[in-house]
Amino acid sequence: MTPPSPDQTPQQKTSKRSAGSRWLSVILKILLWCAGLAAAAAFGLALTIAIALAVAYPNLPDVSDLADYRPKLPLRVFSSEGALLGEYGEERRNLTPIQEIPQVMKDAVLAIEDTRFFQHGGVDYKGMVRAGLANMGRVKSQGASTITMQVARNVYLSSEKTFTRKIYEILLTFKLEHMLSKDQILEIYMNQIYLGNRAYGFSAAAEAYFGKPLKSISIAEAAMLAGLPKAPSAYNPISNPKRARSRQLYIIERMEENGFITEQEAVDAKKEELKIRSGLSNTRVHAEYVAEMARQLIFTQYGNEAYTRGLNVYTTLNAGDQEAAYTALRRGIMDYERRQQYRGPEKFVSLPAGTGQEVEEAIDDALTNHVDNGDVLAAVVLEASAKKVVVARGNGDAIEITGDGLKPVQSGLSDKAPPNIKIRRGAIIRIVKTPKNTWEITQLPEVEGAFVAVDPRSGAIKALVGGFDFDKNKFNHVSQAWRQPGSSFKPFIYSASLEKGFTPATVINDAPLFFDAGVTGGQPWEPKNYDGKYDGPMTMRTGLARSKNMISIRILQAVGPKTAQEWVSRFGFDPEKHPAYLTMALGAGSVTPLQMASAYSVFANGGYRINPWLITKVTDHKGRVLSETTTPVLEEQNRAIDARNAFVMNSLLQEVTRSGTAARAQATLKRPDLAGKTGTTNDSVDAWFAGYQPTMAAVTWIGYDTPRNLGSRETGGGLSLPVWISFMERALKGVPVSEPKVPAGLVNMGGEWFYEEYARSGVPSVGLEDRNPSAAPTTGPAAASAAQPPVTEERKRILDLFRN
């Protein structure tokens, strides 16, 4: 310290000290003011928070129900054999009291989720600081949510990430901690949490992943299960074994660090080879649309109690038939997709250089929102060229695709491909395994489809697939899609004609037709055959087999549109959706696939109207029967058409599958008791095949939700028929060939069937008036059908139509 200058007087020294004191006083005052302002601000903030909490706290949900935690029992839907099809309810789990949860499971959960669970009051402030420091230091990131906070969030709050929700979460946490014991909170958490693979709670997860009760799990298995809450999909040991294993090892280390297990136990646990029930996901019956239909039916009857009473719903569905239908429809749609223009990758992501851990994490993040769609798998491109594409899956597998596997996406591998189409590193694409066990690049389809099969003897629904994928599109195309049936509707017009004297041998002229505005009342109409060809006179049998439009229109002209409209209602169609115009002959009305299956069942069962039904029995959680449906039997009061009409139509529809547009059916399945009709609407917008064997009637439809052209060469025979054949191949395995009895009132002449009263005389040949008479047959049953019948008033009207 510098000594005072000897030149300074005592007065100067005193003055200097006074100035210093004044400055010190000013500084102190400023500091006091600042402290006061800070205190006031803090008080104001605290007061604001207190007021906010006071307002918010009364609005918090009532958590008193959790004090006596009893999970609501779910609604379960089963096939006829007892295979689980669907499960609905707020909570789908097996309640396991905390006393019955093994200590090793609790320790594993605490080690990774909330080590200080029994020390903090719901919010772990130390844990929050530690997590923040860990995350700032770029080491393995740590979360700060306690188990109590997770219970508050999972039970009462949404998953949105907002400041308001976080405040409510903390308040709920304090409320839970105040009302419940730590054991109660832990019990709720371990029974409530979703753990993937349809499992809620650790007890269900132990069964799902290891096929054993929770009480029997080892340290290694407990560590594997404890890794699931963070991300059930990413750490699923079935679909992502590599990532699940990595997290399991980390949890074992955490258990050792926290003293839950010894060093030797940790070593042994890391070495243990787990037996994962990898086949479980493959045995699941894909019947999401059926399960949803059953859910809606039960909800209509029981209301919200349907999800809490533990109801078991048994359906008419056959699990094997259902899987066959699901596989057949998806294969048919993907086969169509291979013929479409490649639309490009679903998304592009930026991948770090190389192949290290950072790349794997980037791939995992990229595929989070691009999950697998059944056997259509999501993958990220690592490298791409015109001859080879290497992709990575979420489980870390690298797959190389070459040769034919690149054909569907050649436009995306071209050097001239636009940026949005180009397949390059970082592109998210779809791959599928081919029947040859190789890989192929594909894309998720835009086209949709439907398939339904019923037992025509009772109406029981045996298989139903409402679309390509339920998660992608929950619209049930089987019961909700009203589409034009096209030529698949023609049999019902033909059926009406049989009652007016037509026979399979009636000769009709396949020649062009033109209707001017005076006839149509609107625009002129010039219908055409699908192939644009006209083959002149042919029998009605041939006309249906070859799906000739001109034949159907001439038949409808003779029958009368109004009469035909009334007739088709016998099969379950809505008359209002089939206006009484000649376009009805070409299927211009509206139907659903389920209606079509029901209508074709009339031909299959000898003429009886059936109503499709789904639920056979409902029981409570103890197996007590609450309601049961008796299988309907075919009775005369339900007759829609005469037995001989059904028999002749069956004969005509068998011809379609033998020599007509669906000849592939009998050629493939090698059985004569198949019948059906293809259908393709104008501009190839809808593709149908409706067919049956006496024990199974099934319908396939393929088209776009927003109607548009499927392709100039796409038909019901090319698109939908293969799906039907694939299903029937499985469904009819072991079923004897059916030989229906000839009903009374029919005679066979020259190999053709005639109504007895028309065996010697039928209606005139149709549309041949302007041709050389020699064009009409002169001998055999066809000639008989061209002879003049007795002239009744009804016949007179028909004759007048022919002459005009």
Side-chain angles (χ1 to χ4, degrees):
M1 185 175 180
T2 306
S5 169
D7 295 331
Q8 290 179 334
T9 63
Q11 291 82 359
Q12 290 173 320
K13 295 176 182 177
T14 301
S15 176
K16 193 171 184 178
R17 283 196 295 272
S18 297
S21 297
R22 283 197 299 274
W23 278 107
L24 182 62
S25 176
V26 171
I27 292 170
L28 288 173
K29 287 180 180 179
I30 292 173
L31 292 174
L32 287 172
W33 270 102
C34 290
L37 289 172
F43 177 76
L45 179 62
L47 184 62
T48 301
I49 293 174
I51 293 173
L53 296 181
V55 172
Y57 199 83
N59 294 324
L60 293 176
D62 182 10
V63 300
S64 59
D65 288 345
L66 288 182
D68 184 26
Y69 178 66
R70 294 181 183 274
K72 298 168 184 176
L73 298 174
L75 166 69
R76 292 186 172 94
V77 182
F78 299 92
S79 72
S80 59
E81 308 92 339
L84 183 64
L85 305 179
E87 197 171 14
Y88 301 93
E90 297 174 14
E91 300 163 359
R92 291 173 278 179
R93 58 194 56 78
N94 298 320
L95 176 61
T96 306
I98 191 68
Q99 299 85 356
E100 297 178 17
I101 298 175
Q103 190 63 43
V104 66
M105 189 69 255
K106 290 185 280 189
D107 290 343
V109 169
L110 294 176
I112 191 62
E113 293 294 333
D114 192 354
T115 308
R116 301 186 64 254
F117 173 70
F118 286 100
Q119 283 78 50
H120 61 67
V123 177
D124 187 3
Y125 302 104
K126 291 183 179 179
M128 293 173 69
V129 172
R130 184 175 63 251
L133 293 174
N135 295 338
M136 288 176 62
R138 293 182 179 278
V139 298
K140 186 180 286 289
S141 63
Q142 297 183 17
S145 288
T146 65
I147 283 177
T148 313
M149 292 170 74
Q150 291 184 56
V151 169
R153 180 166 62 245
N154 292 337
V155 176
Y156 293 109
L157 301 175
S158 68
S159 58
E160 61 175 342
K161 295 182 179 180
T162 64
F163 180 75
T164 303
R165 191 201 60 78
K166 195 67 179 176
I167 291 295
Y168 272 92
E169 180 182 309
I170 293 173
L171 291 177
L172 268 174
T173 297
F174 290 145
K175 195 169 184 178
L176 287 171
E177 287 278 345
H178 175 72
M179 296 193 64
L180 306 177
S181 68
K182 287 289 187 180
D183 276 349
Q184 285 177 308
I185 294 171
L186 187 59
E187 179 182 286
I188 294 168
Y189 175 82
M190 299 193 75
N191 282 282
Q192 182 81 18
I193 196 74
Y194 176 61
L195 300 171
N197 210 40
R198 300 166 62 85
Y200 286 76
F202 288 95
S203 179
E207 291 283 355
Y209 293 107
F210 303 119
K212 60 169 64 175
L214 186 62
K215 63 183 180 181
S216 303
I217 62 169
S218 65
I219 294 172
E221 291 166 336
M224 182 70 79
L225 295 178
L228 290 166
K230 181 180 180 181
S233 177
Y235 298 113
N236 186 314
I238 294 175
S239 58
N240 278 318
K242 187 175 180 181
R243 292 195 70 187
R245 171 66 173 165
S246 175
R247 185 156 177 81
Q248 177 212 29
L249 295 177
Y250 173 66
I251 293 173
I252 292 173
E253 291 171 1
R254 292 278 297 165
M255 293 176 74
E256 182 186 355
E257 289 172 12
N258 287 279
F260 292 134
I261 58 175
T262 65
E263 181 180 355
Q264 186 57 47
E265 286 176 325
V267 171
D268 294 340
K270 290 179 180 180
K271 291 180 179 178
E272 183 177 337
E273 185 175 344
L274 302 186
K275 295 180 179 179
I276 307 294
R277 294 183 66 184
S278 57
L280 184 64
S281 59
N282 297 328
T283 60
R284 175 186 168 193
V285 178
H286 289 282
E288 295 85 353
Y289 291 96
V290 175
E292 174 61 14
M293 289 175 69
R295 181 198 69 79
Q296 292 178 16
L297 290 169
I298 295 300
F299 179 79
T300 300
Q301 184 174 356
Y302 293 93
N304 287 325
E305 285 189 355
Y307 308 129
T308 62
R309 290 182 57 178
L311 300 179
N312 296 313
V313 182
Y314 294 89
T315 68
T316 57
L317 209 73
N318 178 280
D321 289 346
Q322 178 64 24
E323 277 303 298
Y326 173 83
T327 302
L329 182 63
R330 283 181 64 94
R331 184 187 298 126
I333 289 176
M334 291 307 297
D335 285 345
Y336 168 78
E337 194 61 45
R338 287 187 183 91
R339 301 192 290 272
Q340 307 313 300
Q341 184 71 25
Y342 185 56
R343 297 183 292 274
E346 294 178 17
K347 190 178 179 182
F348 296 94
V349 296
S350 179
L351 293 182
T355 57
Q357 182 68 27
E358 289 186 2
V359 175
E360 290 187 11
E361 291 180 359
I363 290 171
D364 289 336
D365 291 340
L367 295 179
T368 299
N369 296 321
H370 296 266
V371 296
D372 294 341
N373 189 301
D375 56 353
V376 184
L377 311 179
V380 179
V381 175
L382 297 178
E383 59 178 275
S385 68
K387 294 186 177 181
K388 182 178 74 173
V389 173
V390 179
V391 301
R393 293 269 296 124
N395 58 11
D397 291 345
I399 298 171
E400 186 176 296
I401 306 166
T402 59
D404 290 343
L406 303 179
K407 284 185 177 179
V409 295
Q410 279 301 310
S411 59
L413 295 171
S414 169
D415 293 335
K416 298 179 181 179
N420 63 316
I421 302 296
K422 182 73 173 176
I423 296 177
R424 58 184 185 272
R425 181 177 172 85
I428 299 177
I429 63 173
R430 296 282 167 171
I431 62 173
V432 64
K433 186 161 279 190
T434 70
K436 296 179 181 179
N437 206 33
T438 59
W439 289 99
E440 178 181 85
I441 301 178
T442 186
Q443 57 190 344
L444 284 175
E446 292 181 343
V447 75
E448 270 295 354
F451 184 92
V452 60
V454 303
D455 185 336
R457 300 164 298 183
S458 67
I461 296 174
K462 293 300 181 180
L464 187 152
V465 187
F468 181 77
D469 181 73
F470 182 77
D471 292 329
K472 177 171 168 268
N473 187 350
K474 292 178 172 56
F475 183 78
N476 190 337
H477 298 84
V478 166
S479 59
Q480 296 175 296
W482 291 91
R483 306 295 292 230
Q484 289 189 341
S487 296
S488 63
F489 196 75
K490 290 176 182 176
F492 307 107
I493 306 300
Y494 277 60
S495 172
S497 76
L498 295 179
E499 301 303 313
K500 301 301 182 182
F502 280 73
T503 75
T506 299
V507 175
I508 306 168
N509 192 14
D510 176 33
L513 287 167
F514 176 79
F515 303 92
D516 59 29
V519 175
T520 64
Q523 295 295 320
W525 183 43
E526 187 176 8
K528 298 182 183 300
N529 285 328
Y530 173 78
D531 58 6
K533 298 177 182 178
Y534 303 93
D535 297 319
M538 63 180 64
T539 64
M540 194 166 82
R541 176 179 291 277
T542 302
L544 184 62
R546 297 173 61 183
S547 198
K548 289 290 188 175
N549 290 341
M550 300 305 107
I551 304 294
S552 297
I553 294 172
R554 283 193 161 93
I555 290 174
L556 183 56
Q557 275 186 299
V559 171
K562 187 64 179 176
T563 300
Q565 183 190 44
E566 294 171 357
W567 184 262
V568 301
S569 66
R570 293 168 173 257
F571 296 86
F573 295 115
D574 303 332
E576 302 80 19
K577 292 187 179 294
H578 300 275
Y581 302 117
L582 291 179
T583 51
M584 192 197 314
L586 307 185
S590 296
V591 300
T592 67
L594 189 58
Q595 274 190 336
M596 291 292 277
S598 177
Y600 270 78
S601 292
V602 176
F603 296 140
N605 64 27
Y608 297 94
R609 171 88 174 269
I610 56 102
N611 292 308
W613 58 290
L614 182 64
I615 296 175
T616 60
K617 182 173 64 175
V618 179
T619 70
D620 64 14
H621 66 285
K622 293 185 178 180
R624 292 175 294 205
V625 177
L626 302 180
S627 64
E628 192 165 7
T629 301
T630 303
T631 302
V633 294
L634 302 177
E635 298 178 335
E636 283 304 311
Q637 64 188 24
N638 302 123
R639 180 167 290 285
I641 61 176
D642 195 74
R644 60 182 184 170
N645 188 304
F647 183 90
V648 173
M649 285 307 305
N650 181 61
S651 172
L652 289 171
L653 290 169
Q654 283 182 340
E655 190 67 46
V656 177
T657 63
R658 178 168 53 247
S659 65
T661 56
R664 191 190 313 183
Q666 290 197 29
T668 303
L669 299 178
K670 309 294 184 187
R671 52 189 305 153
D673 58 347
L674 303 176
K677 183 70 185 74
T678 54
T680 310
T681 60
N682 267 353
D683 297 322
S684 297
V685 170
D686 299 276
W688 293 82
F689 184 76
Y692 58 88
Q693 188 270 352
T695 64
M696 188 76 74
V699 173
T700 307
W701 166 84
I702 291 177
Y704 288 98
D705 277 338
T706 301
R708 60 186 172 98
N709 189 287
L710 287 162
S712 59
R713 297 183 179 180
E714 303 295 350
T715 65
L719 269 178
S720 296
L721 176 60
V723 175
W724 188 90
I725 291 173
S726 178
F727 168 79
M728 284 296 198
E729 197 167 20
R730 190 276 173 198
L732 298 181
K733 192 173 184 179
V735 176
V737 172
S738 175
E739 296 182 5
K741 295 180 180 179
V742 180
L746 282 178
V747 295
N748 189 290
M749 295 179 60
E752 192 56 274
W753 294 103
F754 296 85
Y755 280 17
E756 201 168 48
E757 61 268 34
Y758 304 142
R760 299 297 175 186
S761 61
V763 299
S765 298
V766 182
L768 303 180
E769 294 76 22
D770 298 327
R771 295 181 58 88
N772 187 317
S774 63
T778 57
T779 59
S785 72
Q788 294 290 342
V791 181
T792 63
E793 285 300 317
E794 178 69 16
R795 296 302 177 85
K796 187 174 184 303
R797 188 181 70 80
I798 295 175
L799 289 170
D800 289 342
L801 274 173
F802 295 152
R803 294 191 182 102
N804 296 329

